[in-house]
């Protein structure tokens, strides 16, 4: 049995679908029953579990041969760091108690750094907690998801300005489409040998992009003129708070970009490299199309 946590997410549902196409039994773990309908339709067994519920997580893991673990940063949470740490601790305790033969954890570029990297620091905690699990561990470190741009598109399309915490605007950085992360995860779960070894894999898109590239591409797919705007450091937190984030969530993001903009967050030198096939234009065109139908 392949157990996929976060199976209703952008990456997780692609992993689940790929494993089902390969003829594998899949238990899709979701927090809400309605999120499991499409997964059930492709033959997944559905397990309901909040990742902070130790009993529910342990039940979802029973009989697992292979597990994909996703611990997302919680949205609309006043204390996302403590919630995510609790999620990580519950999941890793359950995995140590009942280790599967194969375990794949989706992590983040820069998770190896023992620095105050905000959100990425939480993935550092995840990787540290997983090390004692007696399994074949694959850590799949993902570049920034292109789909995260969705949060900025309504403002950019309405105002013609794309604000950015990425500085400088011409600096090219790694991004990846979420569906390519899910597809790579399925391949790695199917390929992974059994035994107590580990594997580090990094994935990013076919080419690196700058904020200038993103603004130009968004303009092309939307038929509008979009100008990139470098947000001054002092406006980062007020802008994020105005967008509805909690103070703690805003701090996690500003801490991340303080380090990211120094160039320290990138591929670890000794990791395997993978490159997704989905480019920025395809993702932005899809996001703009979805916005038009809302």
């Amino acid at each position: 049995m392949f157990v996929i946590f976060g199976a209703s997410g952008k990456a997780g549902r692609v992993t689940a679908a790929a494993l089902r196409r390969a003829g594998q039994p899949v238990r899709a773990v979701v927090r809400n029953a309605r999120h499991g309908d499409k997964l059930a339709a492709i033959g997944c067994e559905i397990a309901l579990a909040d990742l902070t519920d130790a009993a529910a997580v342990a039940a979802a893991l029973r009989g697992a041969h292979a597990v994909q673990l996703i611990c997302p940063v919680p949205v609309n949470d006043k204390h996302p760091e403590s919630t995510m740490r609790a999620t990580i601790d519950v999941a890793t305790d359950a995995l140590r108690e009942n280790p599967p033969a194969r375990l794949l954890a989706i992590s983040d570029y820069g998770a190896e750094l023992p620095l105050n990297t905000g959100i990425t620091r939480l993935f550092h905690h995840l990787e540290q907690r997983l090390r004692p699990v007696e399994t074949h561990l694959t850590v799949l470190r993902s570049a920034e998801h292109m789909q995260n741009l969705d949060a900025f598109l309504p403002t950019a399309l309405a105002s013609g300005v794309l604000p950015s915490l990425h500085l400088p605007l011409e600096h090219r950085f790694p991004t990846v489409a979420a569906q390519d992360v899910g597809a790579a995860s399925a391949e790695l779960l199917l390929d992974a040998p059994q035994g107590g070894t580990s594997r580090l894999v990094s994935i990013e898109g076919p080419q690196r992009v700058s904020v200038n590239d993103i603004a130009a591409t968004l303009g092309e797919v939307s038929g509008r003129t979009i100008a990139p705007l470098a947000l001054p450091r002092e406006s980062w937190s007020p802008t994020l708070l105005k967008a509805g984030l909690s103070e703690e969530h805003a701090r996690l993001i500003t801490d991340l970009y303080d380090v990211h903009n120094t160039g320290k967050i990138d591929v670890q030198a000794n990791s395997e490299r993978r490159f997704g096939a989905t480019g920025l234009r395809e993702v932005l065109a899809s996001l703009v199309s979805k916005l038009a139908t809302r």
Side-chain angles (χ1 to χ4, degrees), residues 31-271:
R31 288 187 298 175
N32 189 304
R34 63 185 175 85
H35 293 159
D37 291 345
K38 292 182 179 179
L39 293 160
I42 62 171
C44 294
E45 174 187 322
I46 305 301
L48 297 179
D50 186 313
L51 291 186
T52 60
D53 183 336
V57 171
L61 286 170
R62 288 192 189 110
H65 169 70
V67 174
Q68 174 181 284
L69 181 62
I70 299 175
C71 293
V73 180
V75 296
N76 302 321
D77 190 318
K78 288 186 178 180
H79 304 290
E81 179 169 3
S82 57
T83 300
M84 187 169 169
R85 283 183 179 271
T87 293
I88 291 169
D89 292 343
V90 165
T92 52
D93 285 347
L95 287 163
R96 290 177 69 174
E97 184 69 24
N98 186 18
R102 306 176 186 178
L103 171 61
L104 182 142
I106 294 182
S107 187
D108 206 13
Y109 270 31
E112 76 279 8
L113 300 173
L115 304 173
N116 181 18
T117 53
I119 290 172
T120 300
R121 182 180 68 232
L122 300 176
F123 290 98
H124 178 79
H125 177 63
L126 170 65
E127 292 188 17
Q128 294 295 110
R129 286 300 313 271
L130 287 174
R131 286 184 179 179
V133 179
E134 295 181 357
T135 182
H136 179 278
L137 172 64
T138 298
V139 173
L140 177 58
R141 289 201 189 134
S142 165
E144 182 177 336
H145 287 192
M146 297 178 194
Q147 282 83 356
N148 291 348
L149 291 166
D150 192 28
F152 299 94
L153 293 194
T155 297
L157 294 175
S159 66
V161 175
L162 177 66
S164 179
L165 278 63
H166 278 288
L167 302 174
L169 296 177
E170 66 273 13
H171 174 69
R172 285 189 165 85
F173 54 91
T175 61
V176 67
Q179 61 266 36
D180 288 343
V181 177
S185 179
E187 292 175 3
L188 290 166
L189 282 168
L190 291 168
D191 291 345
Q194 298 185 24
T197 58
S198 62
R199 185 177 185 183
L200 175 62
V201 183
S202 299
I203 184 167
E204 60 185 81
Q207 58 185 188
R208 297 190 169 197
V209 299
S210 68
V211 179
N212 289 338
D213 297 329
I214 294 169
T217 305
L218 178 58
E220 291 168 7
V221 301
S222 66
R224 308 180 193 189
T225 299
I226 306 294
L229 172 65
L231 286 176
R233 177 62 179 81
E234 63 272 14
S235 71
W236 288 5
S237 184
T239 299
L240 294 169
L241 293 174
K242 186 178 179 180
L245 273 65
S246 68
E247 289 186 10
E248 185 176 301
H249 201 158
R251 177 182 53 78
L252 288 172
I253 292 175
T254 56
D255 287 349
L256 169 60
Y257 280 93
D258 278 336
V259 179
H260 198 293
N261 290 339
T262 67
K264 293 179 181 178
I265 293 181
D266 210 315
V267 176
Q268 187 170 338
N270 63 340
S271 71

